[in-house]
Amino acid sequence: MQTLRAPLAALALAAALAAPGAGCVSVPVEGKQPLLATHVKDWRDEVIYQVLVDRFANGDVNNDYRVRPGYLARYQGGDWKGMREHLSYFKDLGVTTLWISPVVKNVETDADVDSYHGYWAQDLTEVNPHFGDLAELRALVAAAHTQGLKVVLDIVTNHMGQVFFYDMNLNGNPDIYIGGTGKTSKVERVSEFDPDWDPRGVQAATSLGEAGRAPIYFIQSPEINRVPPKPGILGTALGYHGFGRILNYDDEKQRLLGDFPGGLKDVATEVPEVRATLIDAYARWVESVDFDGFRIDTVKHVEYDFWKVFSTGLRQRLAAQNKKNFLLFGEAFDGNDQLLGSYTQKGMLDSVFYFSQHFQVFRDVFQNAKLAGKQQAGTDKIQALWESRKTNWSAEPQDLGVGVPPAKLPVNFIDNHDVARFLFEAVGDKDALRNALSYLMTVEGIPCIYYGTEQDFAGGNDPANREVLWDTGFSTRGDTFRHIAKLARLRAKHAALRRGDTTVRYATPHVGAEDDAGILAFERAGSDAGASYALVVLNTNAKKASTTADGAKPMAVGAKPGTVLVDVLDPASGPATVTVDPQGAVRVTVQPQRAVILVPQDQAK
Amino acid sequence: MNATRGSSPRLYTAALLLGAVVPSVARADEAADPAKTPPATATPPATATPPPRAADAASTPTGRFEVGSYGRVHIASDLRGGTGRKANVVAHGTRIDEDDYAELELRREDTFRGEVKSRVVATLALFGPFFHFTGKVPDQLAVRNLYAQGTYKGVSVWAGARMYRGDDIYLLNWWPLDNQNTIGGGAFGTLTDSGERDGPPRYETVLAVHVGQQRLDNPFQFQKTPVVAPSNGFGTVDVVKLDRPRMVETLKLTQHIRDGRGGFKAALYGEAHQLAAGVYRDTLTNQDRGLPDDQGFLFGSQLTYYTGERDTYASLWLRHARGLAAYDPLAVPQTFANDRTTSGTTETTIAFATNFERESFGVLGAAYLRFFRDGSGSVLSPQKYDEGTAVVRPQLYFHEHFGLAAEASYQARRLGVLDKAADAPVTASVIRGAVIPYFSLTGKGSFKRPQIYAIYALASRDAGARSLYAAEDVFSTRKLEHYAGLGAEWWFNSSSYP
């Protein structure tokens, strides 16, 4: 037996190592740091799909910490692995770019609401473990790139989470107290987590009167990850303004220096060290994961100069690593188109969310089509809005930017996580949603679809508009899903719908019984679209078929006389074909709340 | 644990521990015979303590109480003003880091009509730190054995709560093949043997079976929840919402080949584990959630060679487990597949242990490799890891009762956590050394106890090891950690450590 010991041991070792699972732990290629590359040719070709990661798909139950199914103000369990496992869903829908929730580590909870959305940053250098680890995030982005999908990261530079309190009564505790009786003196609720704006900075006070600036104390509540923020200067009071909560958004000083409601602490973005910290922190995410762009939160709460420094610094750093066409688009929750455009001026962002369109078009024109007590706006308002964009938004591409002027690259959206869903406001009017989607996918710019729109989600305001998608079974058979998919296919096929210039051919103030009530017609052609041509005609009127003529004179178009135009969207909604008459005009009649996309016959195949 | 460990201890140690005088009734004769209890192969109870033969064949009932004990207790200073601290980073690191622990066993053994033998065992375990260190009472207690066993015509059956174990690796304080802690029952006996009656048979095949149950007081297996009292009563009553014990069945076939005082022992071993489906009330949402049923199995083997001289032996173990069986029944799985079962989990282990003693020299050695993969399916998981330890403890006996041991070890764990700087899995490793002068009360030998010792231990911790600790923990920065301490360890007359 002695002689058998060595062979037996060798056999045993071989058997052990050959057993399932006995290979060495390693990081798969997709989990390693990627080689940066430019994945986008032209952002006008993209269709963005906004994903609240926590709500899309739960791919790993092991990160379901503090999950409370059904309670939408709490974590629900979605993660990056879940997204990676459903890339075919995005492909089937026809979207090409995924905009994902912020990935950084958050304060877990505040005021009995959890940070499932990702906007309460605590550490800009670590991932939010609810969504997975860094390897899983890289795997998602790598898998997306493999399938031709791009990934945009949501970032916040304006504020961090609820990470400190103002010690207004100098007792060292984060107090919430109520003063006054409501009869002989007004009732005042004061929270040292989220005190009101004070132009001098939040003040301390005692019974004897004011006592100067209230000290800022970072909180140590590790059980909810409410601990001093990172990196660097963001973990010190020097990194923050300390003026308290914004009360008046029209007051520029408050808007720029005040804490975001909810006690989200306003970062002192004018401080050079803070700027350098933010540029470095977010550039590292691109370098580490190979993102293709940033969606930037709350840009109107940060001074303009920051955007020049941030955008330029980031673009230069990434371009040096072969990362070009990196999209920077911001969110300014404001209907003022001039304000929106101001963030696209030289050296700043490539684009912004087209909030003015959200209000003036999707709400006033499409959403209000059937609503009792709501006055639908005419499509002439759309034309006017588009016209104003030409002057409000920069007409020059940004240096080292995406190569398209911001004025031609608005990020168009119907709704998002900060507003009630379209179907909620439209009281379930799916025809209106269908028509709004036709508009969204054919107008100039980048369409952006909020997750769940394709499943007819109809949630109200936050957090009701942040439903769990996996409850739908990821169905691809619904009418809205198929409508979006069809629009995406048409957009991909017809360059005019992506890259063509826009010429409004018909817009009207009429919203009643007039022949042309609700009609909007525009051409997409020229620019980088080559010979591709498309004429889009929408009838926003919910009550009657309308036509592109008010009286006898038909609508003039850019297509040559004799051109036969074919509807490639929905032949049942209007004429299957239209021929441009010798005067270069067409008369197109469209059914209520429907659209047609007319392309030359030879381009329709 | 080594079979000779119970050979010489006397009850004065237990008396000292208990603070009372206990009559000395330990039978040194039975445990001291190396032929009956092969060194380093503390077999399951069936083979560790073969039923007495002619000597117990009296026709009148006989009986006795036995007292046994195992224990270890120590103090240490980190030489910085703090206590000595564990530095192991693997599941089975070197024993010098083990916590204080003690067992007190009271056992009644009888023989009826010369043919039925009975044994009733109660073992109380105490988990440190103890009162004299913390000033807190009570210390943590556990009943580790509470069972009755009967033997008739060479077949033993038992039922109750029992530590049901095979052989261990002393240096790692680990039972690498079988270590059940259930409430259940079992049987064991000789299937075949070569028929000698003047001593242990040259060839002997022993079969042991066991079925047991565990229901940990954890929401994974058990949950009580308050509900409105019945019969229109006031207040609440608790109802059992979740009750799903883990069922464990084991089977072990052991072949002995004895050649004089030495020999071989080979074992094949298997386990099956089942967990029923259940309903759990989520305390965050007060909603009921279903928990699926789960199962797993394990198979393994052991090969041991022993010389029969001064505890010299070598053992090799192989083990592979899948699903629920990959998790120690006293532990709750930390990660799951997405169906919330342990499917996809695997554990593969190879382990080795040896002891060699000759004249004034001895050396203990041990090593293992273990590959654990959870079923989570994520790219990386801290529950996917490879680990291993190699440890050697040579010792010189200067005197029949005094010796000096030196221990050197290396341990490492590579786990599925991304080391961002290296773009590779975190690999934590520790190189350790220790010097252990000791006073062995019962003579020289690796497994002679009681032993009173001093220890100086040094650990070199790499960046990976430090990264396993929170940033605010000094262990996240200290490259070198050491301690100096005093301690004692003993075992005697314990049915758990025969």
Side-chain angles (χ1 to χ4, degrees):
Chain A
M1 288 298 283
Q2 190 75 17
T3 56
L4 286 176
R5 287 169 63 194
L8 276 177
L11 187 65
L13 182 61
L17 297 179
C24 293
V25 167
S26 62
V27 179
V29 172
E30 65 270 23
K32 294 194 170 198
Q33 178 148 354
L35 211 57
L36 294 192
T38 300
H39 299 279
V40 183
K41 289 181 182 170
D42 189 325
W43 276 98
R44 292 174 295 182
D45 297 343
E46 301 299 313
V47 178
I48 296 174
Y49 183 80
Q50 180 194 357
V51 181
L52 280 194
V53 172
D54 182 59
R55 305 296 153 95
F56 185 76
N58 189 351
D60 186 356
V61 298
N62 299 299
N63 53 38
D64 287 359
Y65 179 64
R66 293 176 67 97
V67 158
R68 303 187 200 193
Y71 299 91
L72 292 181
R74 309 289 188 174
Y75 277 100
Q76 299 298 298
D79 47 40
W80 299 318
K81 182 167 181 279
M83 286 187 67
R84 181 162 58 88
E85 291 171 343
H86 289 89
L87 292 181
S88 62
Y89 181 84
F90 306 124
K91 298 289 284 185
D92 290 345
L93 186 59
V95 299
T96 61
T97 293
L98 309 176
W99 155 23
I100 63 171
S101 310
V103 298
V104 297
K105 195 166 188 179
N106 273 221
V107 174
E108 283 284 325
T109 189
D110 182 57
D112 226 12
V113 172
D114 294 344
S115 57
Y116 64 89
H117 41 68
Y119 293 103
W120 296 349
Q122 178 271 326
D123 186 347
L124 302 185
T125 68
E126 292 285 352
V127 297
N128 183 339
H130 287 273
F131 301 154
D133 58 15
L134 179 58
E136 199 61 65
L137 177 59
R138 286 171 171 170
L140 166 64
V141 175
H145 285 158
T146 300
Q147 299 212 20
L149 297 165
K150 298 85 187 174
V151 183
V152 163
L153 174 63
D154 202 329
I155 68 167
V156 188
T157 61
N158 174 63
H159 55 261
M160 298 292 279
Q162 177 66 277
V163 289
F164 66 74
F165 71 98
Y166 300 91
D167 193 14
M168 298 168 71
N169 60 4
L170 303 174
N171 72 347
N173 293 323
D175 300 303
I176 297 172
Y177 50 85
I178 295 173
T181 64
K183 293 179 180 175
T184 56
S185 61
K186 69 175 183 178
V187 173
E188 253 184 8
R189 178 181 177 279
V190 177
S191 165
E192 291 186 336
F193 285 110
D194 193 17
D196 289 348
W197 167 265
D198 189 316
R200 303 164 297 171
V202 173
Q203 297 292 303
T206 68
S207 58
L208 298 176
E210 289 189 335
R213 287 290 290 265
I216 284 173
Y217 291 127
F218 290 93
I219 302 166
Q220 285 285 358
S221 299
E223 71 282 4
I224 56 169
N225 198 43
R226 182 177 282 169
V227 292
K230 293 178 181 175
I233 192 172
L234 296 177
T236 73
L238 296 174
Y240 301 89
H241 286 131
F243 284 86
R245 175 191 182 117
I246 301 170
L247 300 176
N248 178 5
Y249 286 89
D250 294 328
D251 177 344
E252 187 181 17
K253 190 176 178 188
Q254 288 195 43
R255 204 179 72 224
L256 296 179
L257 304 180
D259 292 338
F260 202 76
L264 305 181
K265 299 304 189 289
D266 199 66
V267 173
T269 43
E270 72 283 2
V271 175
E273 190 179 343
V274 171
R275 289 180 174 184
T277 298
L278 291 170
I279 291 171
D280 183 64
Y282 284 120
R284 283 175 186 268
W285 283 109
V286 184
E287 292 160 353
S288 177
V289 182
D290 199 18
F291 288 114
D292 301 296
F294 283 158
R295 176 268 182 190
I296 308 170
D297 193 60
T298 48
V299 297
K300 75 174 186 179
H301 297 280
V302 180
E303 73 280 3
Y304 288 113
D305 192 49
F306 174 85
W307 296 120
K308 290 179 182 173
V309 173
F310 182 81
S311 303
T312 303
L314 195 68
R315 287 180 182 125
Q316 288 175 343
R317 179 161 161 174
L318 297 181
Q321 300 175 79
N322 199 33
K323 191 70 176 177
K324 297 169 184 166
N325 271 0
F326 189 83
L327 180 68
L328 295 175
F329 65 104
E331 176 241 13
F333 195 134
D334 203 299
N336 181 343
D337 194 66
Q338 197 170 19
L339 179 74
L340 299 183
S342 68
Y343 297 103
T344 68
Q345 299 309 311
K346 187 172 176 58
M348 291 194 265
L349 307 177
D350 297 301
S351 184
V352 290
F353 275 101
Y354 207 177
F355 258 101
S356 50
Q357 179 177 251
H358 166 76
F359 293 116
Q360 296 177 45
V361 178
F362 289 109
R363 182 189 65 187
D364 296 348
V365 178
F366 289 98
Q367 203 167 274
N368 289 350
K370 279 183 191 164
L371 291 182
K374 298 280 187 181
Q375 178 58 56
Q376 184 181 24
T379 57
D380 60 332
K381 292 289 187 348
I382 300 176
Q383 184 179 20
L385 181 66
W386 288 359
E387 280 300 316
S388 64
R389 194 174 79 229
K390 292 176 182 172
T391 53
N392 289 339
W393 297 40
S394 173
E396 294 296 324
Q398 303 292 358
D399 290 344
L400 293 176
V402 298
V404 181
K408 289 187 168 297
L409 202 67
V411 177
N412 303 301
F413 69 100
I414 295 173
D415 51 18
N416 64 29
H417 61 301
D418 285 329
V419 297
R421 288 189 182 270
F422 184 94
L423 282 180
F424 177 84
E425 298 288 8
V427 197
D429 184 355
K430 291 186 181 178
D431 291 324
L433 176 62
R434 178 190 176 91
N435 223 24
L437 285 164
S438 297
Y439 172 93
L440 178 80
M441 297 289 280
T442 56
V443 297
E444 205 167 88
I446 311 171
C448 179
I449 299 167
Y450 183 41
Y451 88 98
T453 301
E454 74 279 9
Q455 300 291 351
D456 296 326
F457 280 3
N461 284 295
D462 169 13
N465 58 350
R466 301 171 180 190
E467 304 93 324
V468 166
L469 192 91
W470 58 81
D471 286 346
T472 68
F474 300 95
S475 170
T476 59
R477 296 190 298 272
D479 289 343
T480 304
F481 189 101
R482 287 187 289 134
H483 182 58
I484 294 173
K486 185 171 189 180
L487 286 164
R489 285 196 301 274
L490 291 173
R491 188 178 167 86
K493 181 178 179 182
H494 299 283
L497 292 174
R498 293 177 275 121
R499 302 186 183 187
D501 286 337
T502 300
T503 304
V504 175
R505 290 298 177 181
Y506 206 101
T508 175
H510 296 153
V511 294
E514 302 87 347
D515 288 349
D516 64 346
I519 285 289
L520 173 71
F522 57 91
E523 282 174 339
R524 301 290 310 278
S527 187
D528 299 327
S532 181
Y533 171 91
L535 172 64
V536 180
V537 185
L538 297 110
N539 179 5
T540 63
N541 191 293
K543 300 182 182 69
K544 59 179 278 293
S546 292
T547 191
T548 56
D550 183 16
K553 189 180 179 186
M555 173 178 72
V557 295
K560 291 177 182 174
T563 304
V564 177
L565 300 173
V566 178
D567 179 21
V568 291
L569 176 62
D570 186 5
S573 297
T577 63
V578 176
T579 303
V580 180
D581 68 18
Q583 287 73 43
V586 294
R587 180 186 292 269
V588 181
T589 300
V590 181
Q591 297 303 308
Q593 291 183 304
R594 286 292 185 270
V596 296
I597 300 174
L598 299 164
V599 302
Q601 197 166 31
D602 62 333
Q603 295 176 16
K605 296 172 184 171
Chain B
M1 204 163 278
N2 187 278
T4 60
R5 211 174 294 169
S7 60
S8 299
R10 294 293 181 266
L11 287 186
Y12 55 77
T13 312
L16 191 66
L17 197 70
L18 290 167
V21 175
V22 180
S24 176
V25 291
R27 291 194 310 141
D29 56 342
E30 181 179 308
D33 182 348
K36 290 172 92 176
T37 54
T41 57
T43 53
T47 54
T49 55
R53 296 170 188 268
D56 291 333
S59 57
T60 55
T62 60
R64 59 189 179 274
F65 281 103
E66 302 269 5
V67 173
S69 178
Y70 167 77
R72 57 174 182 262
V73 60
H74 70 282
I75 54 150
S77 164
D78 66 0
L79 308 178
R80 296 178 171 99
T83 53
R85 190 169 164 187
K86 300 176 184 179
N88 287 342
V89 294
V90 295
H92 309 293
T94 169
R95 184 186 191 91
I96 60 176
D97 269 4
E98 290 299 320
D99 290 328
D100 291 352
Y101 176 73
E103 290 172 6
L104 304 175
E105 177 172 314
L106 181 63
R107 189 167 72 242
R108 172 73 188 183
E109 297 189 345
D110 291 283
T111 300
F112 299 97
R113 294 186 300 280
E115 57 184 3
V116 172
K117 297 174 176 49
S118 79
R119 168 187 279 187
V120 177
V121 180
T123 304
L124 188 66
L126 300 94
F127 294 81
F130 298 126
F131 170 72
H132 283 185
F133 191 73
T134 64
K136 287 185 177 177
V137 288
D139 292 306
Q140 299 180 82
L141 304 176
V143 173
R144 300 298 306 270
N145 281 319
L146 195 63
Y147 69 91
Q149 175 178 302
T151 303
Y152 179 68
K153 292 189 181 299
V155 176
S156 298
V157 297
W158 63 270
R162 183 168 190 176
M163 290 185 276
Y164 187 71
R165 301 164 161 174
D167 295 343
D168 74 334
I169 300 177
Y170 173 77
L171 286 178
L172 305 179
N173 194 28
W174 176 39
W175 287 256
L177 183 62
D178 50 334
N179 180 14
Q180 293 300 318
N181 297 275
T182 66
I183 297 180
F188 53 87
T190 299
L191 277 184
T192 63
D193 63 33
S194 50
E196 296 91 338
R197 289 293 174 261
D198 55 347
R202 178 175 175 82
Y203 300 103
E204 184 181 19
T205 306
V206 177
L207 179 68
V209 297
H210 146 261
V211 57
Q213 195 180 62
Q214 284 180 315
R215 192 197 62 189
L216 303 183
D217 191 5
N218 182 293
F220 179 62
Q221 291 184 262
F222 180 70
Q223 185 187 40
K224 273 185 177 178
T225 188
V227 299
V228 173
S231 306
N232 201 27
F234 294 110
T236 63
V237 296
D238 285 346
V239 297
V240 175
K241 195 73 184 173
L242 178 68
D243 175 17
R244 51 172 199 166
R246 188 197 297 212
M247 295 299 301
V248 182
E249 302 87 30
T250 69
L251 184 148
K252 189 172 187 179
L253 190 65
T254 306
Q255 177 66 50
H256 296 275
I257 303 173
R258 301 184 178 99
D259 182 13
R261 300 179 68 188
F264 286 92
K265 182 170 82 168
L268 293 174
Y269 178 70
E271 292 178 8
H273 296 230
Q274 307 89 32
L275 201 59
V279 173
Y280 161 73
R281 179 157 293 176
D282 185 335
T283 53
L284 284 175
T285 62
N286 281 320
Q287 293 173 345
D288 288 352
R289 290 198 205 181
L291 294 173
D293 61 6
D294 206 350
Q295 52 275 321
F297 66 87
L298 176 157
F299 56 85
S301 62
Q302 173 182 343
L303 181 63
T304 295
Y305 169 72
Y306 56 96
T307 66
E309 296 178 4
R310 291 187 58 184
D311 298 340
T312 294
Y313 78 99
S315 286
L316 179 71
W317 293 267
L318 290 174
R319 197 176 99 142
H320 180 70
R322 302 186 77 86
L324 191 60
Y327 295 94
D328 187 299
L330 282 177
V332 172
Q334 296 180 31
T335 55
F336 299 89
N338 255 24
D339 61 1
R340 298 182 191 275
T341 70
T342 57
S343 59
T345 303
T346 64
E347 181 205 40
T348 303
T349 303
I350 177 169
F352 173 77
T354 187
N355 180 54
F356 173 82
E357 295 177 25
R358 180 159 297 174
E359 297 177 348
S360 295
F361 176 73
V363 59
L364 274 163
Y368 82 96
L369 288 172
R370 181 165 171 256
F371 308 91
F372 192 92
R373 301 289 181 274
D374 70 6
S376 68
S378 51
V379 171
L380 293 174
S381 161
Q383 290 299 304
K384 298 183 198 299
Y385 56 85
D386 310 325
E387 66 172 15
T389 299
V391 54
V392 60
R393 185 188 286 188
Q395 43 201 323
L396 292 172
Y397 312 117
F398 299 118
H399 178 274
E400 183 64 22
H401 294 281
F402 297 95
L404 175 67
E407 182 177 294
S409 67
Y410 173 77
Q411 58 184 279
R413 174 180 281 200
R414 177 167 44 197
L415 64 165
V417 171
L418 185 67
D419 177 341
K420 286 196 277 189
D423 212 20
V426 167
T427 301
S429 66
V430 180
I431 299 171
R432 308 195 68 175
V435 179
I436 311 168
Y438 60 83
F439 174 24
S440 179
L441 280 59
T442 55
K444 62 186 176 187
S446 298
F447 299 111
K448 299 294 188 186
R449 297 292 185 279
Q451 189 179 81
I452 298 167
Y453 62 88
I455 183 169
Y456 173 78
L458 178 68
S460 171
R461 309 168 61 250
D462 73 356
R466 299 194 299 273
S467 75
L468 301 181
Y469 294 80
E472 294 187 45
D473 189 327
V474 293
F475 258 41
S476 69
T477 56
R478 285 185 189 167
K479 294 179 180 176
L480 285 177
E481 186 65 25
H482 64 166
Y483 63 77
L486 291 171
E489 184 178 53
W490 65 88
W491 57 75
F492 60 88
N493 198 29
S494 164
S495 62
S496 302
Y497 309 94

